[in-house]
mmCIF file of all heavy atoms in Angstrom:
data_model
loop_
_atom_site.group_PDB
_atom_site.id
_atom_site.type_symbol
_atom_site.label_atom_id
_atom_site.label_comp_id
_atom_site.label_asym_id
_atom_site.label_seq_id
_atom_site.Cartn_x
_atom_site.Cartn_y
_atom_site.Cartn_z
ATOM 1 N N GLY A 88 -10.605 -7.526 3.307
ATOM 2 C CA GLY A 88 -10.626 -8.458 4.435
ATOM 3 C C GLY A 88 -9.276 -8.925 4.840
ATOM 4 O O GLY A 88 -9.023 -9.187 6.001
ATOM 5 N N ALA A 89 -8.323 -8.846 3.871
ATOM 6 C CA ALA A 89 -6.948 -9.294 4.308
ATOM 7 C C ALA A 89 -6.215 -8.255 5.004
ATOM 8 O O ALA A 89 -5.500 -8.406 5.895
ATOM 9 C CB ALA A 89 -6.256 -9.720 2.921
ATOM 10 N N ASN A 90 -6.257 -7.068 4.432
ATOM 11 C CA ASN A 90 -5.591 -5.882 5.105
ATOM 12 C C ASN A 90 -6.181 -4.600 4.476
ATOM 13 O O ASN A 90 -5.736 -4.066 3.451
ATOM 14 C CB ASN A 90 -4.042 -5.956 4.851
ATOM 15 C CG ASN A 90 -3.315 -4.802 5.701
ATOM 16 O OD1 ASN A 90 -3.847 -3.788 5.848
ATOM 17 N ND2 ASN A 90 -2.161 -5.216 6.082
ATOM 18 N N ALA A 91 -7.118 -3.981 5.152
ATOM 19 C CA ALA A 91 -7.807 -2.745 4.682
ATOM 20 C C ALA A 91 -6.863 -1.633 4.600
ATOM 21 O O ALA A 91 -7.008 -0.845 3.750
ATOM 22 C CB ALA A 91 -8.922 -2.452 5.627
ATOM 23 N N LEU A 92 -5.943 -1.544 5.509
ATOM 24 C CA LEU A 92 -5.066 -0.411 5.484
ATOM 25 C C LEU A 92 -4.174 -0.453 4.130
ATOM 26 O O LEU A 92 -3.867 0.549 3.636
ATOM 27 C CB LEU A 92 -4.025 -0.436 6.694
ATOM 28 C CG LEU A 92 -3.135 0.756 6.900
ATOM 29 C CD1 LEU A 92 -3.932 2.051 7.010
ATOM 30 C CD2 LEU A 92 -2.193 0.531 8.031
ATOM 31 N N ALA A 93 -3.764 -1.695 3.805
ATOM 32 C CA ALA A 93 -2.985 -1.786 2.581
ATOM 33 C C ALA A 93 -3.737 -1.409 1.340
ATOM 34 O O ALA A 93 -3.255 -0.714 0.471
ATOM 35 C CB ALA A 93 -2.559 -3.219 2.390
ATOM 36 N N VAL A 94 -5.094 -1.732 1.363
ATOM 37 C CA VAL A 94 -5.926 -1.330 0.168
ATOM 38 C C VAL A 94 -5.974 0.197 0.099
ATOM 39 O O VAL A 94 -5.821 0.758 -0.997
ATOM 40 C CB VAL A 94 -7.256 -1.973 0.230
ATOM 41 C CG1 VAL A 94 -8.173 -1.405 -0.752
ATOM 42 C CG2 VAL A 94 -7.192 -3.508 0.158
ATOM 43 N N PHE A 95 -6.128 0.924 1.277
ATOM 44 C CA PHE A 95 -6.165 2.346 1.191
ATOM 45 C C PHE A 95 -4.663 2.880 0.876
ATOM 46 O O PHE A 95 -4.693 3.981 0.212
ATOM 47 C CB PHE A 95 -6.666 2.861 2.501
ATOM 48 C CG PHE A 95 -8.084 2.652 2.723
ATOM 49 C CD1 PHE A 95 -8.500 1.808 3.766
ATOM 50 C CD2 PHE A 95 -9.071 3.335 1.980
ATOM 51 C CE1 PHE A 95 -9.932 1.558 3.868
ATOM 52 C CE2 PHE A 95 -10.407 3.113 2.123
ATOM 53 C CZ PHE A 95 -10.897 2.224 3.083
ATOM 54 N N GLY A 96 -3.714 2.163 1.236
ATOM 55 C CA GLY A 96 -2.316 2.531 0.752
ATOM 56 C C GLY A 96 -2.248 2.447 -0.728
ATOM 57 O O GLY A 96 -1.588 3.329 -1.386
ATOM 58 N N TYR A 97 -2.800 1.336 -1.295
ATOM 59 C CA TYR A 97 -2.716 1.222 -2.784
ATOM 60 C C TYR A 97 -3.471 2.425 -3.508
ATOM 61 O O TYR A 97 -2.993 2.938 -4.488
ATOM 62 C CB TYR A 97 -3.368 -0.107 -3.236
ATOM 63 C CG TYR A 97 -2.833 -1.370 -2.647
ATOM 64 C CD1 TYR A 97 -3.733 -2.462 -2.375
ATOM 65 C CD2 TYR A 97 -1.592 -1.419 -2.081
ATOM 66 C CE1 TYR A 97 -3.224 -3.629 -1.770
ATOM 67 C CE2 TYR A 97 -1.101 -2.602 -1.479
ATOM 68 C CZ TYR A 97 -1.857 -3.739 -1.364
ATOM 69 O OH TYR A 97 -1.536 -4.839 -0.785
ATOM 70 N N LEU A 98 -4.697 2.732 -2.903
ATOM 71 C CA LEU A 98 -5.457 3.871 -3.487
ATOM 72 C C LEU A 98 -4.652 5.163 -3.304
ATOM 73 O O LEU A 98 -4.662 5.947 -4.301
ATOM 74 C CB LEU A 98 -6.684 3.855 -2.823
ATOM 75 C CG LEU A 98 -7.730 2.786 -3.089
ATOM 76 C CD1 LEU A 98 -8.988 2.927 -2.239
ATOM 77 C CD2 LEU A 98 -8.089 2.705 -4.569
ATOM 78 N N GLY A 99 -4.020 5.351 -2.194
ATOM 79 C CA GLY A 99 -3.243 6.578 -2.001
ATOM 80 C C GLY A 99 -2.127 6.620 -2.966
ATOM 81 O O GLY A 99 -1.810 7.666 -3.502
ATOM 82 N N PHE A 100 -1.425 5.525 -3.221
ATOM 83 C CA PHE A 100 -0.307 5.476 -4.247
ATOM 84 C C PHE A 100 -0.906 5.808 -5.545
ATOM 85 O O PHE A 100 -0.256 6.569 -6.297
ATOM 86 C CB PHE A 100 0.292 4.078 -4.311
ATOM 87 C CG PHE A 100 1.266 3.985 -5.498
ATOM 88 C CD1 PHE A 100 2.517 4.496 -5.360
ATOM 89 C CD2 PHE A 100 0.915 3.446 -6.711
ATOM 90 C CE1 PHE A 100 3.383 4.449 -6.471
ATOM 91 C CE2 PHE A 100 1.709 3.281 -7.762
ATOM 92 C CZ PHE A 100 2.977 3.842 -7.575
ATOM 93 N N ALA A 101 -2.090 5.336 -5.955
ATOM 94 C CA ALA A 101 -2.626 5.564 -7.284
ATOM 95 C C ALA A 101 -2.909 7.047 -7.407
ATOM 96 O O ALA A 101 -2.603 7.685 -8.502
ATOM 97 C CB ALA A 101 -3.903 4.778 -7.385
ATOM 98 N N VAL A 102 -3.387 7.712 -6.362
ATOM 99 C CA VAL A 102 -3.769 9.164 -6.397
ATOM 100 C C VAL A 102 -2.463 9.933 -6.547
ATOM 101 O O VAL A 102 -2.385 10.898 -7.419
ATOM 102 C CB VAL A 102 -4.569 9.618 -5.202
ATOM 103 C CG1 VAL A 102 -4.598 11.135 -5.103
ATOM 104 C CG2 VAL A 102 -5.888 8.944 -5.172
ATOM 105 N N VAL A 103 -1.455 9.658 -5.729
ATOM 106 C CA VAL A 103 -0.195 10.403 -5.790
ATOM 107 C C VAL A 103 0.528 10.174 -7.137
ATOM 108 O O VAL A 103 1.066 11.095 -7.752
ATOM 109 C CB VAL A 103 0.730 9.977 -4.623
ATOM 110 C CG1 VAL A 103 2.165 10.566 -4.716
ATOM 111 C CG2 VAL A 103 0.118 10.513 -3.314
ATOM 112 N N TRP A 104 0.519 8.920 -7.570
ATOM 113 C CA TRP A 104 1.138 8.640 -8.836
ATOM 114 C C TRP A 104 0.426 9.393 -9.971
ATOM 115 O O TRP A 104 1.184 9.977 -10.878
ATOM 116 C CB TRP A 104 1.148 7.107 -9.162
ATOM 117 C CG TRP A 104 1.781 6.841 -10.526
ATOM 118 C CD1 TRP A 104 3.145 6.646 -10.606
ATOM 119 C CD2 TRP A 104 1.338 6.870 -11.779
ATOM 120 N NE1 TRP A 104 3.510 6.484 -11.948
ATOM 121 C CE2 TRP A 104 2.309 6.630 -12.702
ATOM 122 C CE3 TRP A 104 -0.023 6.983 -12.280
ATOM 123 C CZ2 TRP A 104 2.098 6.542 -14.047
ATOM 124 C CZ3 TRP A 104 -0.257 6.918 -13.604
ATOM 125 C CH2 TRP A 104 0.812 6.699 -14.512
ATOM 126 N N LEU A 105 -0.823 9.388 -10.029
ATOM 127 C CA LEU A 105 -1.562 10.057 -11.114
ATOM 128 C C LEU A 105 -1.206 11.621 -11.064
ATOM 129 O O LEU A 105 -0.968 12.200 -12.032
ATOM 130 C CB LEU A 105 -3.049 9.899 -10.955
ATOM 131 C CG LEU A 105 -3.960 10.436 -12.027
ATOM 132 C CD1 LEU A 105 -3.540 9.853 -13.425
ATOM 133 C CD2 LEU A 105 -5.440 10.241 -11.754
ATOM 134 N N ARG A 106 -1.265 12.198 -9.867
ATOM 135 C CA ARG A 106 -0.848 13.615 -9.788
ATOM 136 C C ARG A 106 0.536 13.805 -10.295
ATOM 137 O O ARG A 106 0.830 14.809 -11.020
ATOM 138 C CB ARG A 106 -0.988 14.078 -8.286
ATOM 139 C CG ARG A 106 -0.689 15.477 -8.147
ATOM 140 C CD ARG A 106 -1.052 15.959 -6.753
ATOM 141 N NE ARG A 106 -0.405 17.247 -6.399
ATOM 142 C CZ ARG A 106 -0.826 18.384 -6.708
ATOM 143 N NH1 ARG A 106 -1.957 18.562 -7.394
ATOM 144 N NH2 ARG A 106 -0.237 19.516 -6.379
ATOM 145 N N TRP A 107 1.505 12.991 -9.921
ATOM 146 C CA TRP A 107 2.833 12.990 -10.343
ATOM 147 C C TRP A 107 2.993 12.959 -11.834
ATOM 148 O O TRP A 107 3.641 13.704 -12.546
ATOM 149 C CB TRP A 107 3.657 11.891 -9.705
ATOM 150 C CG TRP A 107 5.146 11.863 -9.929
ATOM 151 C CD1 TRP A 107 5.970 12.845 -10.395
ATOM 152 C CD2 TRP A 107 5.965 10.732 -9.785
ATOM 153 N NE1 TRP A 107 7.205 12.482 -10.483
ATOM 154 C CE2 TRP A 107 7.241 11.097 -10.074
ATOM 155 C CE3 TRP A 107 5.723 9.388 -9.374
ATOM 156 C CZ2 TRP A 107 8.349 10.271 -10.064
ATOM 157 C CZ3 TRP A 107 6.828 8.469 -9.383
ATOM 158 C CH2 TRP A 107 8.056 8.895 -9.710
ATOM 159 N N PHE A 108 2.225 12.049 -12.443
ATOM 160 C CA PHE A 108 2.239 11.832 -13.868
ATOM 161 C C PHE A 108 1.689 13.034 -14.654
ATOM 162 O O PHE A 108 2.246 13.547 -15.590
ATOM 163 C CB PHE A 108 1.376 10.618 -14.295
ATOM 164 C CG PHE A 108 1.380 10.307 -15.704
ATOM 165 C CD1 PHE A 108 2.562 9.679 -16.251
ATOM 166 C CD2 PHE A 108 0.326 10.558 -16.547
ATOM 167 C CE1 PHE A 108 2.541 9.381 -17.668
ATOM 168 C CE2 PHE A 108 0.320 10.282 -17.870
ATOM 169 C CZ PHE A 108 1.432 9.651 -18.451
ATOM 170 N N VAL A 109 0.617 13.603 -14.118
ATOM 171 C CA VAL A 109 0.019 14.806 -14.705
ATOM 172 C C VAL A 109 0.981 16.058 -14.641
ATOM 173 O O VAL A 109 1.105 16.747 -15.598
ATOM 174 C CB VAL A 109 -1.367 15.079 -14.108
ATOM 175 C CG1 VAL A 109 -1.857 16.514 -14.442
ATOM 176 C CG2 VAL A 109 -2.397 14.136 -14.441
ATOM 177 N N VAL A 110 1.568 16.181 -13.515
ATOM 178 C CA VAL A 110 2.585 17.263 -13.415
ATOM 179 C C VAL A 110 3.645 17.090 -14.387
ATOM 180 O O VAL A 110 4.115 18.057 -14.990
ATOM 181 C CB VAL A 110 3.122 17.307 -11.886
ATOM 182 C CG1 VAL A 110 4.368 18.180 -11.785
ATOM 183 C CG2 VAL A 110 1.992 17.811 -11.001
ATOM 184 N N CYS A 111 4.144 15.932 -14.585
ATOM 185 C CA CYS A 111 5.241 15.617 -15.570
ATOM 186 C C CYS A 111 4.808 15.881 -17.006
ATOM 187 O O CYS A 111 5.509 16.387 -17.805
ATOM 188 C CB CYS A 111 5.784 14.222 -15.345
ATOM 189 S SG CYS A 111 6.773 14.005 -13.823
ATOM 190 N N VAL A 112 3.581 15.457 -17.315
ATOM 191 C CA VAL A 112 3.044 15.666 -18.677
ATOM 192 C C VAL A 112 2.909 17.184 -18.909
ATOM 193 O O VAL A 112 3.252 17.593 -20.031
ATOM 194 C CB VAL A 112 1.674 14.932 -18.803
ATOM 195 C CG1 VAL A 112 0.973 15.408 -20.061
ATOM 196 C CG2 VAL A 112 1.875 13.440 -18.908
#
Side-chain angles (χ1 to χ4, degrees):
N90 189 325
L92 186 63
V94 174
F95 288 110
Y97 308 149
L98 292 173
F100 171 81
V102 168
V103 169
W104 182 87
L105 186 60
R106 181 170 162 86
W107 183 22
F108 185 77
V109 168
V110 165
C111 288
V112 166

